[in-house]
Amino acid sequence: MNKSLKSIKDWHRYSIACVVLLAGSLPTYGEQATPGYNHKIPTKIMTPDQVETPIGTLRFFDGMPDAATVEKVYDNLDLIRATETFLNGIPATSIEGMRLGFREMGADASHKAIIMDKLLDSSPLFLTGNTDTVYCLAFLELDKDGATVVEIPANSGPGTVDDAYFRFVTDMGTPGPDAGKGGKYLILPPDYDGDLNPPVGGMQAEVDGETYFVSKSSSYVNLLFLRGFLVDGKPDVATAMFKNDLKVYPLKDAANPPKMEFISGSGKSFNTIHANTYDFYEELHTVIEREPASLLEPQLSGLFASIGIEKGKPFNPDARMKKILTQGVAIGNATARAITFRPRLEGFAYYPDSSWGTGFVGGSYQWLKEGDKGARNLDARTLFFYQATVNTPAMVEKMVGKGSQYAVTAVDNNGDYLHGDQTYRLNIPAKVPAANFWSVVIYDPQTRSELQTSQPFPSKNSTRDPLVQNADGSVDLYFGPTAPQGKEANWIQTVPDKGWYPIFRLYGPLDPWFDKTWQPGELEVVN
């Protein structure tokens, strides 16, 4: 007997403790221990020796994957990450595609701008560009130029600066802080370390005796995207406004700025769209290598790094990885096209029982659910950037009588894709709620750019085109390879054996658009 047990009471306590310890090492009453264990192990935490999955049979020795399984799951992991890199990298490569296209046209410095002086026709490849405004675009190179000044003319339409991941930096012109009166903007580089600390969207400040609207970008490369409105249906006034009064120059050269150069993009065949092949990853690597490491959040940078796209390191995948990346971009491209042309997103549809939807699902230019505290709607972001460019709060805010609003569809009233060899009718009801004008432009689903036909402008504009109205004031538009007899004025040409899809735009949208008491008709086959 243990000498420390001085009494029967102590012995009794000792005996109970021994029983409890012994019981703790055995299965409880009526419970059978899992083979190889002292206790019953929950089945849900165990891995069987063999599992059937969509990527094949996976085999394990006591939870440890065999060699074939290891190879299979790593290939699958790389494929998943390659696909996710495509879907999440589109904003960056979309900007990069535009930059490369501009350089091809000779716009290789910030004071060299591409201007659609005769409007954007179907020759250049631009993601869902419109035929209704004069575009003037340039790329800022803050790593080369440092803080850069942009002088905006008075009466400029909606303008925006976006960073290298297509994030909003500031608005200009009508929706910007100059409110259409013109002014000087100063865009600071990401490595600026002075006293200015502007919020998103910018602030007014005095620098070297001049008053600027100051913004700071997260990237070196930035897209300057300006629009000018037609006057009497012509681009001449807006073109002259930009050519005479737009100036872009480094702040350090303010006393002697370089002379602006304007390169016409109208009627020119050049590409501004990112690759949908393996080249996509090369484009993305260029962006990541050029921009500061702070451009992206660590989670996103980590995704890109997981497939070999990492700042400061060469992108040189081996044959195995290159094959997987090629498969990943193919799957990613197909996924983006499903999201774009067959969206399942809640909030896409403008109206019940209608195919028309919004390109800005959720009403957030950051694609956040429930405001700034919500999760990011990744598919909504893909839906937008796979077919569109320019990101600004002005595109989602309710701005009655200002800015623009958009509706898009890829199907007819039966839910079928639109075919170029058929003829369709679209009714635009009377009293369209647009203070300025409305338009319909049609696009090629392959390029998401204007459909190329014998009509250089595949569109109709309520002020530029002499449309024939119905007795009730509505307008019927017709789409097909040939014009229906007597409907030539209201006809937009399509291409047999090709698809197409329209975007309906309102410039200066009014309350009936926002409260949905007015809506466009559906596309109906008429032959």
Side-chain angles (χ1 to χ4, degrees), residues 35 80 140 203 212 220 282 306 360 442 444 451 461 491:
I80 290 171
L140 311 184
M203 69 178 190
Y212 296 94
Y220 296 124
E282 299 281 4
S306 72
F360 261 107
I442 67 173
D444 181 337
L451 189 70
N461 179 303
W491 168 66

Side-chain angles (χ1 to χ4, degrees), residues 171 363 365 392-400 402 404-405 509 514:
D171 276 329
Y365 76 96
T392 165
M395 296 179 74
V396 296
E397 292 177 359
K398 181 180 179 180
M399 301 175 66
V400 178
K402 299 179 181 180
S404 54
Q405 288 286 308
F514 293 106

Side-chain angles (χ1 to χ4, degrees), residues 95 140-143 162-167 169 187-191 216-223 287 290-292 294-295:
I95 283 277
L140 311 184
E141 300 179 336
L142 304 181
D143 52 341
D162 285 334
D163 77 0
Y165 195 67
F166 250 128
R167 290 175 300 210
V169 177
I187 311 301
L188 304 174
D191 50 7
K216 184 178 179 181
S217 176
S218 299
S219 64
Y220 296 124
V221 163
N222 289 259
L223 172 65
V287 176
R290 179 189 63 233
E291 299 296 342
S294 58
L295 173 69

Side-chain angles (χ1 to χ4, degrees), residues 278-412:
Y278 171 82
D279 293 337
F280 176 93
Y281 301 108
E282 299 281 4
E283 294 171 353
L284 181 59
H285 179 257
T286 298
V287 176
I288 299 303
E289 183 62 23
R290 179 189 63 233
E291 299 296 342
S294 58
L295 173 69
L296 302 174
E297 58 177 329
Q299 185 81 10
L300 194 54
S301 297
L303 171 64
F304 298 161
S306 72
I307 62 165
I309 298 175
E310 190 170 1
K311 185 174 178 63
K313 296 184 179 180
F315 178 58
N316 188 28
D318 59 21
R320 166 194 164 273
M321 194 62 188
K322 191 168 184 178
K323 179 181 178 181
I324 289 174
L325 291 172
T326 302
Q327 294 170 341
V329 75
I331 296 170
N333 180 50
T335 304
R337 288 179 174 274
I339 291 170
T340 300
F341 298 122
R342 290 289 187 182
R344 66 179 185 179
L345 287 161
E346 181 181 354
F348 168 76
Y350 267 124
Y351 319 97
D353 302 319
S354 172
S355 66
W356 291 104
T358 176
F360 261 107
V361 175
S364 166
Y365 76 96
Q366 297 173 306
W367 289 272
L368 296 175
K369 298 181 178 180
E370 301 175 2
D372 293 343
K373 297 180 180 179
R376 197 177 310 281
N377 192 332
L378 299 178
D379 290 352
R381 186 176 65 184
T382 296
L383 171 72
F384 181 82
F385 282 115
Y386 193 72
Q387 65 176 329
T389 58
V390 186
N391 180 19
T392 165
M395 296 179 74
V396 296
E397 292 177 359
K398 181 180 179 180
M399 301 175 66
V400 178
K402 299 179 181 180
S404 54
Q405 288 286 308
Y406 311 85
V408 61
T409 183
V411 297
D412 63 17

Side-chain angles (χ1 to χ4, degrees), residues 48-130:
D49 290 342
Q50 181 171 308
V51 181
E52 300 299 329
T53 76
I55 65 171
T57 302
L58 307 180
R59 294 183 172 85
F60 304 84
F61 165 65
D62 203 19
M64 295 181 287
D66 67 10
T69 296
V70 168
E71 181 179 359
K72 196 173 296 184
V73 296
Y74 274 140
D75 283 352
N76 184 62
L77 181 60
D78 289 338
L79 180 60
I80 290 171
R81 287 175 172 166
T83 303
E84 286 292 336
T85 291
F86 179 86
L87 294 173
N88 287 279
I90 289 173
T93 58
S94 187
I95 283 277
E96 181 64 9
M98 293 184 71
R99 189 187 72 87
L100 293 173
F102 281 27
R103 294 183 76 85
E104 178 188 334
M105 290 289 290
D108 56 1
S110 60
H111 66 282
K112 298 179 181 181
I114 299 290
I115 187 168
M116 301 301 172
D117 52 341
K118 296 179 178 60
L119 300 180
L120 176 61
D121 61 288
S122 61
S123 295
L125 298 178
F126 270 83
L127 291 177
T128 55
N130 72 60

Side-chain angles (χ1 to χ4, degrees), residues 494-514:
T494 61
V495 181
D497 299 322
K498 273 196 65 61
W500 63 275
Y501 69 105
I503 294 182
F504 176 70
R505 291 178 170 88
L506 299 94
Y507 292 85
L510 302 175
D511 280 322
W513 173 258
F514 293 106

